[in-house]
Amino acid sequence: MKITYYIGAGASFEALPLVENFPNRMESFKTDFDSFFKVVPTALDREKLFAYKKEFIKDIEWVIKESDKHASIDTFAKKLYLKKSYSDLQRLKAVLEIFMIIEQIKNPTDSRYDLFYASILNQRVTNFPKNIKIISWNYDHQFELSYSDFSGYKDIHSNQHTLNIITKHAHGSNEIDEFLIIKLNGSLGILERRGMRAKEILKNVDTPLNIQFIFELLDIYNTIKSSQEFLPSLSYAWEQDEGKVNNIINKSKDATYDAEVLVIIGYSFPFFNRDVDRNIIGNMNFLKKVYIQDPYPDDIKDRFFSVRPDFKDENIKLIKNVKQFFLPDEL
């Protein structure tokens, strides 16, 4: 059977903060960030480093303040987009990218991805089941970091290529009949406006978290925050300004229109994503069964009906156990 996984932030909660926990996690992050600057090698440009640090801390405090004023950090991002406050949106994305990269290096990868790969891979580490497609709202690297333990690849790009990861600016193999992962909100990287070429900021899975790398990150942060030539490759699905490059919604629809089973993990169907959700899930014309995995799946079920009001209640199964990613009997 054709199976589609629909992934939200809850799928990475062992490693990264949920949306509602962003302000508290960023407060802790700001405190911990100072510890990197206790010993600075003489080879580094101290003046530039500390100027970058001052600016970055100021922007973290701005994000924390705005997060407290809005329902979520994603709500704030959508508000900036609607107001056409593009410089502030780019500033927000720059902070989020650096924050998420450091958090991923600091914390072990969510262990549930490891078990998921061990369960679905057959005979070889590159032998993925073609009947599985993954649509993810996450822009983190949990899929790539976990898979590196299977592939042996230390560079993020090689893992993305093998996993057939597709974003607006990274097209994977473009083989939608194969196993693939579509990241609706892009990935943590930098985008060169000329040619629209995306590059990951975190290049290697074993990158050490030291002052030298922090300097590199802050230099990149300064570039994507203020440059007209570079953009964050974190790009929300509802942003239409670059849709002409690779319409990620249509790609998702083409890849999953024939899904017969939908497995929803850690996704809450926020209202401002509703048009995208209706576009993709509403296009699944052969859908027979839906599994919702969440600590509070009844709430998610109610929201699912706002996307697919035609779907029969008896064909939805709720999974409260979140210790591992659900593997349906249809696999």
Side-chain angles (χ1 to χ4, degrees):
M1 297 191 78
K2 302 292 182 69
I3 298 169
T4 292
Y5 276 82
Y6 212 71
I7 303 293
S12 299
F13 84 92
E14 287 185 5
L16 296 165
L18 297 172
V19 170
E20 60 267 26
N21 296 333
F22 254 79
N24 290 337
R25 190 79 163 254
M26 291 193 91
E27 281 286 2
S28 300
F29 172 87
K30 186 179 72 168
T31 302
D32 294 341
F33 194 68
D34 270 330
S35 65
F36 292 113
F37 297 83
K38 290 180 180 178
V39 179
V40 178
T42 55
L44 296 182
D45 186 333
R46 291 179 60 89
E47 184 177 351
K48 181 183 284 189
L49 175 64
F50 281 93
Y52 282 168
K53 177 194 173 187
K54 182 179 179 181
E55 189 71 12
F56 185 57
I57 292 295
K58 183 178 74 173
D59 284 347
I60 289 174
E61 291 171 344
W62 169 69
V63 172
I64 292 170
K65 179 182 177 183
E66 293 299 333
S67 296
D68 284 334
K69 289 162 54 178
H70 296 85
S72 71
I73 196 72
D74 292 341
T75 307
F76 179 45
K78 183 72 177 285
K79 180 179 179 181
L80 293 175
Y81 175 73
L82 293 173
K83 290 172 63 180
K84 302 187 187 306
S85 299
Y86 298 128
S87 61
D88 275 344
L89 181 59
Q90 191 151 326
R91 177 187 178 196
L92 172 62
K93 289 180 181 179
V95 172
L96 289 177
E97 291 210 335
I98 303 307
F99 166 70
M100 294 285 276
I101 285 170
I102 292 176
E103 287 291 289
Q104 285 189 129
I105 298 175
K106 280 169 52 181
N107 301 304
T109 305
D110 193 309
S111 61
R112 295 171 299 167
Y113 288 85
D114 184 73
L115 181 56
F116 178 70
Y117 285 130
S119 300
I120 68 169
L121 288 169
N122 184 27
Q123 302 300 321
R124 301 190 308 276
V125 296
T126 56
N127 194 0
F128 289 96
K130 294 182 179 182
N131 64 324
I132 293 180
K133 316 294 181 189
I134 298 174
I135 306 293
S136 176
W137 280 94
N138 300 338
Y139 40 81
D140 59 43
H141 289 124
Q142 295 296 291
F143 276 112
E144 298 96 313
L145 291 171
S146 182
Y147 182 63
S148 69
D149 286 337
F150 290 85
S151 69
Y153 298 139
K154 294 301 182 183
D155 63 295
I156 294 290
H157 177 75
S158 292
N159 287 297
Q160 290 176 331
H161 178 73
T162 306
L163 290 168
N164 197 15
I165 289 179
I166 298 173
T167 68
K168 285 181 183 177
H169 309 104
H171 298 191
S173 69
N174 269 323
E175 293 291 338
I176 61 172
D177 292 331
E178 303 290 329
F179 174 89
L180 56 74
I181 300 172
I182 295 179
K183 290 186 176 184
L184 293 173
N185 284 336
S187 194
L188 300 172
I190 186 168
L191 179 70
E192 188 178 354
R193 192 185 289 272
R194 182 182 296 175
M196 288 299 185
R197 290 188 296 271
K199 297 179 181 179
E200 295 302 315
I201 295 173
L202 181 62
K203 294 182 173 62
N204 296 298
V205 299
D206 54 0
T207 298
L209 190 56
N210 54 30
I211 189 62
Q212 287 88 351
F213 184 59
I214 294 295
F215 195 0
E216 290 178 31
L217 287 178
L218 291 179
D219 195 42
I220 292 170
Y221 147 79
N222 185 66
T223 298
I224 61 178
K225 173 188 169 182
S226 56
S227 173
Q228 296 299 310
E229 298 179 15
F230 296 93
L231 300 166
S233 59
L234 190 174
S235 182
Y236 294 101
W238 34 259
E239 291 184 71
Q240 297 298 315
D241 54 325
E242 293 157 18
K244 60 183 181 297
V245 177
N246 182 23
N247 192 318
I248 202 67
I249 309 304
N250 285 342
K251 182 73 73 173
S252 301
K253 290 166 66 176
D254 290 344
T256 64
Y257 79 95
D258 56 353
E260 297 164 277
V261 176
L262 179 64
V263 183
I264 300 163
I265 301 178
Y267 183 63
S268 61
F269 290 96
F271 186 82
F272 52 79
N273 287 347
R274 190 157 294 175
D275 285 345
V276 176
D277 291 330
R278 284 174 175 166
N279 243 316
I280 297 172
I281 297 177
N283 190 59
M284 296 178 183
N285 298 318
F286 301 93
L287 201 58
K288 300 173 182 175
K289 193 74 170 285
V290 173
Y291 297 92
I292 299 175
Q293 184 177 35
D294 192 90
Y296 307 101
D298 292 283
D299 296 341
I300 309 302
K301 179 181 175 181
D302 291 341
R303 294 173 193 168
F304 174 78
F305 280 126
S306 68
V307 173
R308 281 293 297 261
D310 62 315
F311 204 75
K312 294 181 180 179
D313 185 276
E314 61 266 27
N315 293 333
I316 298 178
K317 185 174 181 180
L318 307 182
I319 314 296
K320 293 185 178 181
N321 185 341
V322 296
K323 291 182 179 179
Q324 65 182 61
F325 292 161
F326 180 70
L327 299 168
D329 293 337
E330 292 85 355
L331 264 178

